[in-house]
Amino acid sequence: MRGRFITLEGIEGAGKSTLASALRDALQARGLTVALTREPGGTPLAERLRDLVLTRGEERVSPEAETLIMFAARAVHLDNLVRPALERGTWVICDRFTDATRAYQGGGRGVSTDFIEQLAQTVHAGLEPDLTLLLDLPVEEGLRRAARRRVDRGDQTDRFESETVAFFSRVRERYLHIAESAARCQCIDALQPMQLVQAQALAALSRLLEQRV
Ligand code: Z5A
């Protein structure tokens, strides 16, 4: 049986990476084979594209060019990792997918919806996530968490992390709009303690597991 495609979305610091590991462990405990991956990235070539698009450099990258690089990385990731895994029956948990392009490039940078949807049709017509968990929290809290984690790890800021509160507020609004209009999306209040966030995500996953039969 085909695997299921689960995507995690939210502004930075929402807790996606933390939740992704917890969900993988929970699914593996049920005997399922799980691939944990991320976008942009997930395969060696897509990770190289990730470095190109996230690293702050001298040269200007237009919002449309940024969108094209996101979809180039996505096409490689889908061909070489996601589709083969789903066909083998592996469940794929992906930290960000096309909703991130809708929210960041569309909502945040103002790239046209038509342009993004045409690329989505070209790159993954017929493939949508079975479940999308949107971790929603106020921008200021997300930025606080991300800044704390950066200090702990000694990381540099990337091209997105140096954006303004206004930018991330537009991203959050677009995410909330997507979650309201797409039945595959479930919005979780990410201000709650991690255990509650994980319990709600697992409840959403249980529904997906029940639908398997
Ligand atoms: N991007 C794009 O523009 N267009 C696209 O199409 C795609 C991506 C696919 C890289 O994403 C950037 O690419 C991203 C959008 C852009 N830039 N931004 N912003 P990324 O996913 O690699 O990076 P990120 O969004 O910055 O993720 P993150 O900072 O790693 O956040 P996270 O994974 O959501 O959070 P976390 O690491 O799990 O948790 C952050 C901290 O909070 C950590 O210390 C946790 O212990 C803590 N935490 C987590 N949950 C909780 C709760 N519930 N309470 C308290 N503390 C918590």
Side-chain angles (χ1 to χ4, degrees):
M1 185 186 285
R2 180 186 168 275
R4 295 300 171 117
F5 186 30
I6 298 151
T7 57
L8 307 183
E9 299 283 357
I11 58 167
E12 75 161 333
K16 299 177 307 304
S17 318
T18 311
L19 178 63
S21 307
L23 293 182
R24 177 199 48 205
D25 295 349
L27 288 175
Q28 283 176 341
R30 284 176 170 249
L32 293 164
T33 309
V34 183
L36 192 56
T37 186
R38 68 174 181 180
E39 288 206 351
T43 73
L45 178 55
E47 288 289 329
R48 279 161 61 195
L49 291 166
R50 176 188 177 93
D51 283 346
L52 287 179
V53 75
L54 295 189
T55 305
R56 293 165 71 181
E58 296 291 301
E59 207 169 338
R60 176 179 136 78
V61 179
S62 72
E64 286 72 21
E66 188 176 87
T67 305
L68 289 166
I69 299 173
M70 294 296 176
F71 272 104
R74 181 160 301 135
V76 170
H77 183 220
L78 287 170
D79 284 349
N80 298 335
L81 192 152
V82 176
R83 284 197 187 92
L86 293 172
E87 278 158 25
R88 281 195 308 273
T90 297
W91 285 47
V92 176
I93 300 175
C94 190
D95 190 338
R96 298 190 183 282
F97 188 58
T98 298
D99 290 331
T101 315
R102 296 181 174 115
Y104 280 81
Q105 281 65 51
R109 304 250 196 254
V111 171
S112 93
T113 300
D114 283 355
F115 183 63
I116 294 172
E117 296 309 326
Q118 270 177 25
L119 288 166
Q121 270 301 308
T122 306
V123 168
H124 60 87
L127 178 68
E128 286 298 330
D130 295 291
L131 174 69
T132 297
L133 297 172
L134 169 62
L135 300 187
D136 177 58
L137 87 173
V139 168
E140 290 77 5
E141 176 59 16
L143 295 179
R144 248 193 306 276
R145 286 186 193 171
R148 216 178 301 133
R149 195 204 39 202
R150 254 196 313 277
V151 170
D152 290 347
R153 292 188 192 161
D155 289 348
Q156 300 286 312
T157 53
D158 67 28
R159 285 196 327 108
F160 290 96
E161 288 161 345
S162 47
E163 281 294 347
T164 60
V165 170
F167 172 85
F168 286 109
S169 300
R170 292 195 298 277
V171 173
R172 181 187 184 200
E173 254 174 56
R174 185 64 62 95
Y175 265 136
L176 288 171
H177 177 74
I178 294 167
E180 272 169 23
S181 44
R184 66 181 159 80
C185 289
Q186 179 154 337
C187 185
I188 296 178
D189 176 3
L191 262 187
Q192 303 177 99
M194 258 182 242
Q195 291 84 343
L196 283 183
V197 171
Q198 288 174 11
Q200 287 177 14
L202 284 171
L205 268 187
S206 311
R207 283 194 283 277
L208 205 59
L209 285 161
E210 283 156 17
Q211 287 166 12
R212 275 196 321 148
V213 269

